[in-house]
Amino acid sequence: MHTSLKNFMRQFTAVVLMSLVPVALVAFLSIPFTLGHHPGESQAQAVVTLDHEA
């Protein structure tokens, strides 16, 4: 493999990874925060108690 091709592939891979890492971090951190839980986990059911005093 030519040296120039190696350099190009190294730079191309670095640019792709530097672009995808922030996108993946934002997606994996913001989606659970927005939903309030991780996708696939069951949501906690709110327990409602009615205490009526007459």
Side-chain angles (χ1 to χ4, degrees):
M1 188 181 294
H2 288 294
T3 306
S4 59
L5 183 59
K6 276 187 181 180
N7 288 337
F8 171 75
M9 290 303 294
R10 187 174 296 132
Q11 288 178 350
F12 180 78
T13 304
V15 168
V16 168
L17 288 177
M18 296 275 285
S19 301
L20 290 180
V21 167
V23 171
L25 284 176
V26 168
F28 283 108
L29 294 177
S30 66
I31 290 173
F33 180 75
T34 303
L35 292 175
H37 61 87
H38 289 283
E41 288 182 352
S42 60
Q43 279 184 315
Q45 298 295 326
V47 177
V48 178
T49 58
L50 300 175
D51 292 331
H52 294 287
E53 294 183 23

